[in-house]
Amino acid sequence: MAGTLPIPIRFRVPAGWQDADPDEAGAPNAAFVAVHPGSQQPGSLASITLDGDYRPDPATLSDIADESVGALGQVARAVEVTQRSEFGTSESPGVGQVLSFSVVVGESERELFQCQIYLSMVDTEDPEQRVVVRLVLTANPEQFQILLDDFQAFVASVRADPDGGESDSTVG
């Protein structure tokens, strides 16, 4: 069952990517999943996922990014943060990190990379509420560098959409 976001989010899916059912894509808690069929290789299909939730706690975005590293470590091997940076403003902060790890698929081990972006947004209905949205590109090493520009364009298009706009794609 697909997850939901506590606030509506608008974004643009890059060309060459297709919406996918979160359950079928192996991301049942994601509010949105897109896959890149042109990148399909045996046992590997690049994906972009979007999820998020209210975070009333005082955790920083770096703390939340650390939580994701720990959660990934429960299902993957050799999780390593290869890069992390903060961006944005104090009113609209963000954290990005790149992870490398391996997973066992069938009887073979696959090396994967993830670029995770965390955006802090204010709920326009209740400005006292903080929402943290997570955007993730997952791909094998060969796909990762090729698809990173698409992912960056996707991230740049993400906006809170209090009016539930008609253009682009919207989840919430």
Side-chain angles (χ1 to χ4, degrees):
M1 177 180 194
T4 59
L5 294 173
I7 61 173
I9 302 289
R10 184 179 67 215
F11 52 88
R12 182 162 301 174
V13 179
W17 291 81
Q18 298 176 347
D19 294 4
D21 178 270
D23 290 324
E24 291 176 16
N29 296 322
F32 174 79
V33 176
V35 295
H36 193 269
S39 69
Q40 187 168 6
Q41 296 179 3
S44 181
L45 181 61
S47 66
I48 291 174
T49 61
L50 186 151
D51 62 35
D53 210 345
Y54 284 113
R55 287 301 299 247
D57 61 324
T60 66
L61 291 179
S62 290
D63 293 339
I64 295 168
D66 286 339
E67 291 172 8
S68 287
V69 172
L72 185 59
Q74 300 295 313
V75 296
R77 298 178 181 178
V79 178
E80 180 182 348
V81 179
T82 63
Q83 182 180 351
R84 182 180 287 175
S85 60
E86 295 182 9
F87 58 89
T89 65
S90 59
E91 294 81 33
S92 184
V95 167
Q97 66 182 7
V98 176
L99 309 175
S100 66
F101 58 97
S102 61
V103 295
V104 175
V105 179
E107 296 198 14
S108 61
E109 191 166 337
R110 306 254 188 242
E111 189 175 340
L112 295 173
F113 282 88
Q114 278 191 349
C115 182
Q116 300 179 341
I117 303 294
Y118 297 85
L119 304 174
S120 182
M121 299 180 171
V122 174
D123 183 342
T124 56
E125 300 284 319
D126 184 358
E128 297 298 313
Q129 294 291 329
R130 173 178 73 147
V131 174
V132 175
V133 175
R134 179 175 67 161
L135 312 151
V136 180
L137 167 67
T138 304
N140 70 38
E142 296 80 26
Q143 299 164 335
F144 188 76
Q145 288 303 318
I146 294 167
L147 299 174
L148 196 53
D149 286 344
D150 284 356
F151 182 63
Q152 290 171 334
F154 175 75
V155 170
S157 76
V158 172
R159 302 281 182 274
D161 189 19
D163 301 325
E166 306 259 334
S167 64
D168 303 329
S169 297
T170 304
V171 294

